[in-house]
Amino acid sequence: MRLKRQARFRLSYPRQVCPQMTDEAGFLVVGGDSLVGGGVTAALRRRGHSFFTTTRRHSNLTVGRTFLDFESTEPFKAPDGVGYAFVIAAATNYDRCETDPMARVINVELIPRTVASLLEQGLFVTFISTNSVFGGERPWPGEDDAHAPQIAYAQQKSDGELAVRAAAERLGATDRLNIVRLTKIMNGAVSPLPAWFDAWRRGEPVQPFSDLIFAPISVRFVGEALVTIGERRVSGNLHLSGAENVDYVTFAHALARRAGVDAALISPSSAAEKGIHIAFKPRYSGLGMTRTTQLTGIEPQKLDDLIADLGD
């Protein structure tokens, strides 16, 4: 199923607060094989930037891909010519974060140690975090609002934020660090979309959950937005969010309209009805973006624009 294209990423750049990057330094994407990392590298390529990605497997080393093992005690040296790093890698599986002590070590100790090393080498660093640090009980939390994590992953990311901020303060590098929190990232391959598309091709209904709320953004949107932030070198806390808190039933109807699918092929259900435990079920998923929009011109992604992006 192929979705029609629409305009999908809208930026306005207030000249007085969004100066262009003044040097030609390249970028480093730590976690370039991840969903978000793929969006960033695609955006860097579209904009003509030079960049490196990282791998922890020697067998995967190629031109443009450098070795980085978080667990190694050997200091990581950024490639020559790199002036900016996106640190996207993390242990993100909710169950693993609850049960595997190594997940906390990765998220709270090893990745912040790498951020500190990059700052010490003079790089500007983006550290990727999550909307889950706010707990999901308050609508549209602002960039500098207090955290209220409810699950292990959220607590680890909150503690990771504290660790990277403390390192920046110790190094006098707070003007070279931003923490960017994201809402749910989607493309056409993210669950449950492949299963939905398959069912609709067969003329079968899907059963989206009415009790699961999110504020989705597309891979393309987040990639373009992060590269914009990188080009402008904006420090501090920033947010990238969908413009609406929606349940999966609402999302399914919007997707079906775009794809020309009969609404009768949507049969609402709920996680509670199905007896499915979902570790993070926020009442509100969206993030406030007032500071981010003022400093970068990036606005929350509208649901229709997200759905248009899913046709890529």
Side-chain angles (χ1 to χ4, degrees):
M1 182 175 296
R2 188 75 176 172
L3 304 182
K4 297 178 182 178
R5 301 294 300 145
Q6 286 183 346
R8 51 203 174 319
F9 185 76
R10 188 171 53 150
L11 291 173
S12 60
Y13 302 130
R15 185 174 301 172
Q16 69 275 22
V17 296
C18 294
Q20 292 290 335
M21 201 168 75
T22 57
D23 60 77
E24 296 300 323
F27 291 84
L28 176 69
V29 184
V30 179
D33 293 334
S34 66
L35 190 65
V36 174
V40 171
T41 58
L44 288 169
R45 190 175 293 112
R46 283 191 294 268
R47 297 191 188 193
H49 289 294
S50 62
F51 64 90
F52 293 82
T53 60
T54 66
T55 181
R56 62 180 301 175
R57 296 180 176 86
H58 286 289
S59 60
N60 289 344
L61 291 176
T62 59
V63 174
R65 179 171 288 187
T66 188
F67 181 75
L68 171 57
D69 182 358
F70 291 116
E71 297 181 39
S72 173
T73 57
E74 291 293 320
F76 172 72
K77 174 67 169 64
D80 292 340
V82 167
Y84 198 108
F86 296 99
V87 179
I88 299 168
T92 59
N93 181 275
Y94 290 171
D95 290 339
R96 183 187 179 193
C97 290
E98 293 283 351
T99 60
D100 182 1
M102 191 61 196
R104 179 173 178 81
V105 172
I106 292 169
N107 288 334
V108 182
E109 299 177 24
L110 301 184
I111 292 177
R113 182 178 71 182
T114 299
V115 171
S117 173
L118 294 168
L119 291 171
E120 198 165 15
Q121 294 172 56
L123 276 67
F124 199 117
V125 179
T126 287
F127 175 75
I128 298 298
S129 191
T130 168
N131 62 332
S132 66
V133 300
F134 295 110
E137 295 301 311
R138 289 175 289 147
W140 309 110
E143 287 91 342
D144 296 323
D145 282 3
H147 293 187
Q150 302 296 316
I151 59 175
Y153 169 67
Q155 184 65 61
Q156 290 167 20
K157 292 301 288 185
S158 180
D159 292 346
E161 287 190 25
L162 291 175
V164 300
R165 192 173 291 111
E169 290 172 355
R170 173 174 56 82
L171 295 166
T174 56
D175 61 337
R176 289 189 285 107
L177 173 71
N178 59 53
I179 294 171
V180 184
R181 304 185 189 102
L182 312 178
T183 58
K184 174 71 173 179
I185 314 297
M186 300 200 80
N187 65 13
V190 171
S191 179
L193 297 191
W196 285 5
F197 291 151
D198 286 345
W200 284 339
R201 288 188 190 99
R202 297 190 301 268
E204 298 173 358
V206 300
Q207 294 186 311
F209 291 164
S210 61
D211 58 349
L212 187 57
I213 306 297
F214 68 151
I217 53 180
S218 71
V219 170
R220 184 179 180 109
F221 173 87
V222 75
E224 294 286 345
L226 285 173
V227 173
T228 294
I229 290 167
E231 289 172 342
R232 283 152 180 76
R233 300 197 173 195
V234 180
S235 60
N237 296 328
L238 302 167
H239 285 169
L240 297 176
S241 174
E244 305 167 57
N245 286 301
V246 297
D247 59 40
Y248 273 75
V249 176
T250 301
F251 175 71
H253 278 284
L255 183 61
R257 284 194 299 272
R258 177 70 182 177
V261 171
D262 190 340
L265 294 180
I266 298 171
S267 178
S269 183
S270 70
E273 179 182 330
K274 295 290 187 181
I276 297 173
H277 171 71
I278 297 176
F280 183 52
K281 278 181 64 176
R283 291 178 61 197
Y284 306 99
S285 181
L287 295 171
M289 286 183 56
T290 299
R291 179 178 189 270
T292 304
T293 301
Q294 288 174 345
L295 294 178
T296 68
I298 302 168
E299 299 178 357
Q301 188 178 32
K302 294 181 179 179
L303 184 61
D304 286 345
D305 292 339
L306 160 73
I307 289 173
D309 274 351
L310 297 180
D312 280 341

